Amino acid sequence: MRYVKLTIAYDGTAYAGWQIQPGEPTIQGVLEHALERIVGRRNRITASGRTDAGVHALGQVVGFQADTTLTPRLLQRALNAQLPADVAVLEAAEVEAGFHPIRDTLSKRYRYVIHNGAVRDVFARRYCWHISRPLDVAAMDEAAQCLLGTHDFRSFESSGAPRSDSRRTIYELTVLRADNGNDKVVIEIEADGFLYNMARAIVGSLVEVGRGAQPPAWMSKVLESQDRGRAGPTAPPEGLFLVKVKYRT
Amino acid sequence: MRYVKLTIAYDGTAYAGWQIQPGEPTIQGVLEHALERIVGRRNRITASGRTDAGVHALGQVVGFQADTTLTPRLLQRALNAQLPADVAVLEAAEVEAGFHPIRDTLSKRYRYVIHNGAVRDVFARRYCWHISRPLDVAAMDEAAQCLLGTHDFRSFESSGAPRSDSRRTIYELTVLRADNGNDKVVIEIEADGFLYNMARAIVGSLVEVGRGAQPPAWMSKVLESQDRGRAGPTAPPEGLFLVKVKYRT
């Protein structure tokens, strides 16, 4: 048995998220199905983390054990031939059997794209949140600064069973207006881990500041409150991309 | 009656092209339908030219007569509220009644996007032609040069009733590898007019050169032959964008 690590990209539009659910199209489902057609039996595939319905990935990392003599390169090609057009294997590598896609994570980086223009972008509509009124990007970036570092982020965790430990460390959080004249505002967040819907709750809160509904200083009050009801709404999934997962070694 | 000129963008993926056809979704159809819901009666809308099934527009120009008191700005908003998400009105203006979207054209610019990378781009798959083997972009650009200027382009006109005059003038034709690391090759063509499928036949021929099947000098032989059978295949529609239409005055 070999342990294979894949870096994959997917357009999440048509999927009910990463994790297999009966009767719903999922990324895990199409990937396990493609692998089964190649190696002849079903293998469980584990991702660095689940992504929600409609969320995209530029560099999700997944791993599985496989009883195959195919080289990683040939396995990549075979998978890409079997997968639907909205899922692609970017890289494949054989790694030591001790590797675990969740446990060995050092950090994850997400990108959130807002189209901040008067008229919708017909080509980007599946890949951004359209907000027509101009956002104050400088105020959003100022508000973001208080979230850097290690904090209890339960104010930005969607309801459901709260984790015993909701402390996380944000290494980077930037809000930039893309400089290529296409009216995009891009938010990049890198952290050692994310609570449920944390990235989208942070974006939804930053947008409250960007549209002038709250001053930048409001963000630190939300963080300190440890109350999800104080933060902004959860931003829609179509603007969110899992960009990169970093690992030890 | 006022004459209104619109600049529109559309994702052509779901459409059988610009022109109304019974039982098929068309850009003209959804636009005339949206206008009818606003002004209360059906008006014929004329485009600068038809685009084929699957072809996109960043800046198509269309015009119509309308019996409405709405300002162009309000008409734009009302149309965008009625139109499906894959069609958008970017600009609206009232123009003199003598304006004609086809007759008054000075030039049109098309862009063709090739994704020239080993693995498909899951986000751009509706908006490019995926060619995995590396293309020789310098050879393509060299081959393109002989097409500049005024020539009889019937070698690049798809079958159907040939026009009496197949002379056109190409003002610009460039082949560039986009410099942002996403493996895109972009072909830009501006001309005073295009024969049926001319842009896609030129791209298909340039790709023959790019993949090494023909030397750059082959292109001028194709042009001189005035024989469509000598040129390369017609490139697929999903990579083609009508970028801009220029008008006198």
Side-chain angles (χ1 to χ4, degrees), chain B residues 78-113:
Chain B
L79 283 167
N80 280 332
Q82 293 291 341
L83 285 165
D86 49 8
V87 182
V89 178
L90 306 180
E91 286 177 34
E94 190 172 350
V95 291
E96 51 184 299
F99 174 79
H100 193 283
I102 300 173
R103 198 190 53 220
D104 295 344
T105 302
L106 270 182
S107 73
K108 283 185 193 170
R109 172 179 287 260
Y110 278 95
R111 178 176 303 152
Y112 197 96
V113 181

Side-chain angles (χ1 to χ4, degrees), chain A residues 9-12 56-58 76 79-81 83-90 119-127 241, chain B residues 9-12 56-58 76 79-81 83-90 119-127 241:
Chain A
Y10 45 84
D11 174 347
H56 314 293
L58 293 161
Q76 177 189 6
L79 283 167
N80 280 332
L83 285 166
D86 49 9
V87 182
V89 178
L90 306 180
V119 178
R120 62 178 166 265
D121 180 337
V122 298
F123 302 105
R125 68 192 194 280
R126 295 180 186 89
Y127 312 121
F241 296 76
Chain B
Y10 44 84
D11 174 347
H56 314 293
L58 293 161
Q76 177 190 6
L79 283 167
N80 280 332
L83 285 165
D86 49 8
V87 182
V89 178
L90 306 180
V119 178
R120 63 179 166 266
D121 179 338
V122 298
F123 303 104
R125 67 192 194 280
R126 297 180 185 88
Y127 312 122
F241 296 76

Side-chain angles (χ1 to χ4, degrees), chain A residues 1-4 6 18-21 26 28-29 31-33 35-36 39 41-47 50 62-66 100-101:
Chain A
M1 294 290 271
R2 309 160 77 179
Y3 198 88
V4 178
L6 304 177
W18 163 262
Q19 193 177 34
I20 284 182
Q21 297 173 53
T26 63
Q28 187 185 16
L31 208 54
E32 290 188 2
H33 183 67
L35 183 63
E36 183 177 5
V39 302
R41 55 187 293 274
R42 189 83 177 199
N43 291 273
R44 175 50 42 116
I45 301 182
T46 304
R50 303 168 191 176
V62 307
F64 56 87
Q65 284 196 309
H100 193 282

Side-chain angles (χ1 to χ4, degrees), chain A residues 32-240:
Chain A
E32 290 188 2
H33 183 67
L35 183 63
E36 183 177 5
R37 292 187 62 165
I38 295 161
V39 302
R41 55 187 293 274
R42 189 83 177 199
N43 291 273
R44 175 50 42 116
I45 301 182
T46 304
S48 72
R50 303 168 191 176
T51 52
D52 287 323
V55 172
H56 314 293
L58 293 161
Q60 169 71 289
V61 174
V62 307
F64 56 87
Q65 284 196 309
D67 186 14
T68 173
T69 55
L70 290 175
T71 63
R73 191 174 170 77
L74 286 175
L75 190 59
Q76 177 189 6
R77 282 202 192 183
L79 283 167
N80 280 332
Q82 293 291 341
L83 285 166
D86 49 9
V87 182
V89 178
L90 306 180
E91 286 176 34
E94 189 172 349
V95 291
E96 50 185 300
F99 174 78
H100 193 282
I102 300 173
R103 197 190 53 219
D104 295 344
T105 302
L106 270 182
S107 74
K108 284 185 192 171
R109 172 180 287 259
Y110 279 95
R111 177 175 302 153
Y112 198 95
V113 181
I114 296 169
H115 174 231
N116 189 33
V119 178
R120 62 178 166 265
D121 180 337
V122 298
F123 302 105
R125 68 192 194 280
R126 295 180 186 89
Y127 312 121
C128 64
W129 180 12
H130 181 213
I131 299 175
S132 5
R133 302 213 172 182
L135 293 170
D136 183 343
V137 170
M140 293 168 75
D141 197 51
E142 185 187 338
Q145 298 315 308
C146 73
L147 302 178
L148 286 172
T150 304
H151 305 280
D152 186 323
F153 284 101
R154 70 182 63 193
S155 302
F156 303 97
E157 181 178 30
S158 283
S159 60
R163 305 187 191 220
S164 52
D165 182 8
S166 46
R167 287 174 73 82
R168 295 291 182 275
T169 302
I170 295 185
Y171 301 119
E172 188 186 322
L173 175 49
T174 55
V175 186
L176 283 172
R177 193 173 286 278
D179 202 21
N180 53 2
N182 65 3
D183 299 325
K184 297 297 188 293
V185 172
V186 178
I187 299 165
E188 296 254 354
I189 315 183
E190 186 168 337
D192 62 351
F194 289 82
L195 305 173
Y196 184 49
N197 273 347
M198 175 173 147
R200 288 161 60 191
I202 288 175
V203 170
S205 302
L206 290 172
V207 164
E208 290 298 289
V209 174
R211 66 190 188 84
Q214 299 288 352
W218 166 76
M219 191 65 80
S220 62
K221 290 178 200 153
V222 172
L223 177 66
E224 286 157 21
S225 74
Q226 303 199 5
D227 173 4
R228 178 65 185 86
R230 299 285 298 277
T234 303
E238 60 268 26
L240 189 63

